[in-house]
């Protein structure tokens, strides 16, 4: 069986202890490859390689870094089909989605930060014509990047690219549930001629390899995307060591639909924002608030459309909903559908397992739409992270603003209205790091990306990411 290997000091290596973890294909529920079960020693080797590579890498010119990162971007683009197939097999997402979104975005991440670093300017301040202050922005050293399973290569490269562009060396860990494209990226980095030790990829469990990266004293910063509970655990280790921390965590995002919206667009986008990637995107709108006058019609149209979404094998082009990422996650999502029923909700459609012909052991679930629950119940307060949405009617701006903000999370919000004054007022008052008006997941990589409240700390994207991965040093010269 194919064995994934770590990428340490420029070489593909087996874990020191020789232990491996089974890697499942969610579409068929079978083990199809093995993942290194790396431990503290592997992380130690990776951190030392990164520490040794840092002096030379941090002294390269921005043009040199631009060139090698651009080469990695080009190789990702050239390997689009191979990477898309691998992502789909590893994660269960439809291959057309990996081909059109995940892998192109990984290319863009490297292209974007290869260019952004050439434009990253430092500030200067003249003080009363007697002194000049200027700010140096220096790379931090060895940094740790830890990413989740939902958008594997997309989020992995979103961290690695700015870290490398800014002149840091990196020890990174993808989710052990979806390691394959990170492994293929290590092959690409070797082909691109990335100097050894500049990027090190250690595979394995979060509680072993992940926590060893976080706790390592030579690792100066942690950029983490994942669950809120894990984020809190990481912060409790990293904060007393005064590491820089960027935490992109969970969400329970509201999708607010006013009666004056562009109805067709709101409906079509809501189908996507609810169920894209099997609902396993931190930005999915899982609580849908619909203004009373259009509630019944929107509900009927949504349910009809959702019932028409084909749940099927990820390799098929007509599959709208592929497999959930793991058996454990499938069971978690199902348990929330059970909880919704216990809490008095009505499941309007979906929520049952699907046996796909020839792949009966795969982790397939019909997308579910639920109504009749208050905003305060657990179903509406906790992140489910699957193909499950709830519908709630509302009558006034004040009422829905209260609902939208009435959760511990604050990642993103989508708003559908033609009323500009209302849109601008909501954009100000919503407790969310990202507000979309009349659109969803419309991304510009220059914008700050991240959440408020329990959805995280810090922002990624554009110069925010380059600022995170550098230390500001002010120099004041009196004249
Ligand atoms: P987890 O928090 O379980 O894991 C994320 C990563 O952290 C994995 O690589 C995991 O390894 C690792 N990890 C786990 N425990 C530790 C630890 N103690 N120390 C260091 N690393 C650790 O999240 P999921 O992978 O389940 O991803 C889903 C979550 O990610 C959802 O909550 C979702 O909302 C959030 N997310 C947030 C986004 C955002 O931008 N705000 C975007 C996408 C997802 P292992 O796989 O072995 O557990």
């Amino acid at each position: 069986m194919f064995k994934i290997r770590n990428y340490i000091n420029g070489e593909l290596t087996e874990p020191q202890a020789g232990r491996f973890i089974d890697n499942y294909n969610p579409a068929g529920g079978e083990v199809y490859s093995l993942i290194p079960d790396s431990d503290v020693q592997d992380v130690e080797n990776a951190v030392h390689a990164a520490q040794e590579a840092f002096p030379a890498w941090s002294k390269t010119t921005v043009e040199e870094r631009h060139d090698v990162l651009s080469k990695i971007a080009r190789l990702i683009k050239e390997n689009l089909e191979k990477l898309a197939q691998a992502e789909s097999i590893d994660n269960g997402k439809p291959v057309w989605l990996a081909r059109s979104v995940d892998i192109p975005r990984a290319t863009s991440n490297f292209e974007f930060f290869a260019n952004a670093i050439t434009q990253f300017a430092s500030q200067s301040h003249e003080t009363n014509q007697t002194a000049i202050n200027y700010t140096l922005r220096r790379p931090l050293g060895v940094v740790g990047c830890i990413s989740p399973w939902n958008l594997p290569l997309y989020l992995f490269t979103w961290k690695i690219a700015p870290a490398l562009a800014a002149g840091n060396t990196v020890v990174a860990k993808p989710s052990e549930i979806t390691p394959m494209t990170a492994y293929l990226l290590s092959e690409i980095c070797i082909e691109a001629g990335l100097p050894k030790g500049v990027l090190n990829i250690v595979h394995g469990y979060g509680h072993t390899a992940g926590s060893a990266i976080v706790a390592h004293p030579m690792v100066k910063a942690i950029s983490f995307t994942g669950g809120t509970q894990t984020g809190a655990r990481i912060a409790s280790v990293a904060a007393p060591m005064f590491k820089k921390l960027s935490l992109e965590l969970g969400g329970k995002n509201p999708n607010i639909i006013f009666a004056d919206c562009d109805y067709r667009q709101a409906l079509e986008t809501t189908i996507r924002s609810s169920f894209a990637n099997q609902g396993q995107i931190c930005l999915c709108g899982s609580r849908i608030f619909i203004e009373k006058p259009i509630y019944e019609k929107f509900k009927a149209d949504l349910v009809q459309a959702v019932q028409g979404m084909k749940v099927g094998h990820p390799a098929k082009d007509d599959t709208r909903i592929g497999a959930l990422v793991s058996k454990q996650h499938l069971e978690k999502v199902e348990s929330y559908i059970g909880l919704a029923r216990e809490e008095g909700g009505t499941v309007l459609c979906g929520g049952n397992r699907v046996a796909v012909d020839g792949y009966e052991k795969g982790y397939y679930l019909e997308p579910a739409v639920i109504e009749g629950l208050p905003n305060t119940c657990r179903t509406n307060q906790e992140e489910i992270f699957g193909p499950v949405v709830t519908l709630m009617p509302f009558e006034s701006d004040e009422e829905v603003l209260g609902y939208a903000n009435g959760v511990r999370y604050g990642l993103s919000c989508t708003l559908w209205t033609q009323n500009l004054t209302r849109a601008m007022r909501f954009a100000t008052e919503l407790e969310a790091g990202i507000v979309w008006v009349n659109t969803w997941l419309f991304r510009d990589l220059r914008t700050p990306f991240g959440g408020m409240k329990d959805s995280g700390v810090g922002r990624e994207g554009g110069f925010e990411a380059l600022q995170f991965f550098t230390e500001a040093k002010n120099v004041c010269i009196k004249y």
Side-chain angles (χ1 to χ4, degrees):
M1 189 159 311
F2 181 74
K3 276 185 181 167
I4 286 173
R5 280 168 291 165
N6 289 330
Y7 172 49
I8 297 176
N9 205 23
E11 283 174 13
L12 300 174
T13 56
E14 294 205 352
Q16 294 287 309
R19 284 193 309 269
F20 286 83
I21 307 163
D22 289 342
N23 189 20
Y24 286 82
N25 168 356
E30 306 121 9
V31 177
Y32 81 104
S33 60
L34 296 171
I35 314 156
D37 181 5
S38 308
D39 60 18
V40 175
Q41 190 53 52
D42 300 296
V43 170
E44 191 64 36
N45 295 346
V47 173
H48 276 276
Q51 183 76 11
E52 274 193 22
F54 178 70
W57 180 249
S58 62
K59 287 187 183 70
T60 51
T61 63
V62 287
E63 289 76 16
E64 283 166 328
R65 295 204 293 279
H66 165 274
D67 288 353
V68 66
L69 295 184
S70 299
K71 196 162 178 195
I72 294 172
R74 183 168 56 69
L75 288 169
I76 295 174
K77 199 182 263 181
E78 283 174 18
N79 285 283
L80 169 72
E81 192 53 34
K82 180 177 169 188
L83 289 162
Q85 295 286 345
E87 200 74 291
S88 171
I89 291 168
D90 222 18
N91 172 279
K93 67 177 69 207
V95 68
W96 58 260
L97 186 67
R99 194 185 287 131
S100 60
V101 176
D102 292 73
I103 310 306
R105 175 57 189 277
T107 302
S108 307
N109 289 340
F110 273 103
E111 271 171 359
F112 178 86
F113 285 108
N115 290 317
I117 195 63
T118 68
Q119 307 297 315
F120 187 45
S122 60
Q123 292 173 314
S124 87
H125 303 275
E126 195 189 36
T127 309
N128 301 330
Q129 298 181 16
T130 56
I132 184 86
N133 289 271
Y134 64 91
T135 308
L136 292 172
R137 287 225 156 247
R138 289 288 183 254
L140 304 171
V142 181
V143 299
C145 299
I146 300 175
S147 59
W149 48 257
N150 62 330
L151 302 165
L153 193 64
Y154 176 133
L155 290 176
F156 197 57
T157 54
W158 180 234
K159 297 179 179 303
I160 289 169
L164 295 177
N168 301 282
T169 53
V170 175
V171 177
K173 191 194 89 66
S175 169
E176 119 274 346
I177 301 168
T178 53
M180 191 58 86
T181 49
Y183 169 73
L184 295 174
L185 178 69
S186 47
E187 292 186 339
I188 283 175
C189 290
I190 292 169
E191 193 181 340
L194 187 69
K196 65 176 190 176
V198 168
L199 171 64
N200 303 274
I201 300 176
V202 182
H203 296 271
Y205 289 117
H207 60 87
T208 50
S211 59
I213 296 172
V214 173
H216 202 293
M218 281 182 194
V219 175
K220 302 292 181 224
I222 299 291
S223 175
F224 169 80
T225 298
T228 294
Q229 252 186 335
T230 316
R233 215 172 300 135
I234 288 174
S236 73
V237 175
M241 299 173 85
F242 307 111
K243 295 184 184 215
K244 275 183 113 175
L245 265 181
S246 171
L247 302 172
E248 301 291 337
L249 310 176
K252 191 72 182 176
N253 309 310
N255 175 10
I256 305 173
I257 299 160
F258 284 95
D260 71 350
C261 67
D262 176 330
Y263 186 86
R264 190 116 305 275
Q265 247 206 330
L267 181 66
E268 279 169 14
T269 309
T270 292
I271 294 161
R272 238 169 19 91
S273 68
S274 305
F275 300 115
N277 204 40
Q278 297 68 247
Q280 302 166 143
I281 302 181
C282 53
L283 305 164
C284 280
S286 50
R287 296 179 296 144
I288 306 179
F289 299 101
I290 307 160
E291 205 175 4
K292 263 259 171 79
I294 60 164
Y295 182 84
E296 290 301 328
K297 178 170 165 48
F298 196 92
K299 172 174 101 179
D301 289 343
L302 181 70
V303 166
Q304 192 189 14
V306 172
Q307 282 172 327
M309 293 177 91
K310 185 166 172 237
V311 180
H313 193 275
K316 295 237 166 96
D317 281 343
D318 62 347
T319 289
R320 285 288 146 295
I321 305 275
L324 269 66
V325 75
S326 67
K327 183 159 179 282
Q328 196 189 16
H329 190 58
L330 170 71
E331 286 165 359
K332 176 189 154 189
V333 174
E334 282 182 316
S335 79
Y336 271 104
I337 295 168
L339 175 69
R341 286 200 173 95
E342 278 167 32
E343 290 184 318
T346 305
V347 179
L348 299 170
C349 68
N352 302 306
R353 282 198 195 195
V354 179
V356 171
D357 257 1
Y359 302 96
E360 286 77 8
K361 286 195 187 149
Y363 315 135
Y364 300 96
L365 189 69
E366 292 169 348
V369 180
I370 300 171
E371 73 166 353
L373 289 169
N375 190 51
T376 47
C377 70
R378 277 185 57 204
T379 307
N380 276 326
Q381 292 287 316
E382 296 175 16
E383 185 183 44
I384 301 174
F385 212 59
V388 181
V389 292
T390 60
L391 309 184
M392 283 169 273
F394 70 90
E395 288 184 272
S396 73
D397 288 20
E398 283 320 311
E399 181 191 3
V400 77
L401 198 53
Y403 293 150
N405 288 341
V407 288
R408 63 193 278 234
Y409 297 107
L411 187 55
S412 72
C413 176
T414 304
L415 198 63
W416 293 94
T417 179
Q418 301 289 336
N419 181 330
L420 182 62
T421 306
R422 173 191 277 149
M424 293 185 72
R425 181 189 161 212
F426 269 70
T428 309
E429 299 199 14
L430 282 163
E431 294 166 359
I434 301 149
V435 178
W436 278 299
V437 181
N438 299 329
T439 184
W440 177 72
L441 230 177
F442 190 97
R443 293 280 289 120
D444 179 327
L445 302 190
R446 293 170 300 181
T447 60
F449 180 92
M452 297 168 61
K453 294 156 74 176
D454 288 8
S455 291
V457 179
R459 293 292 179 271
E460 298 185 324
F463 291 154
E464 300 266 351
L466 295 177
Q467 271 159 8
F468 174 75
F469 284 117
T470 52
E471 189 88 72
K473 183 195 284 179
N474 189 68
V475 182
C476 175
I477 302 176
K478 190 161 186 306
Y479 51 80

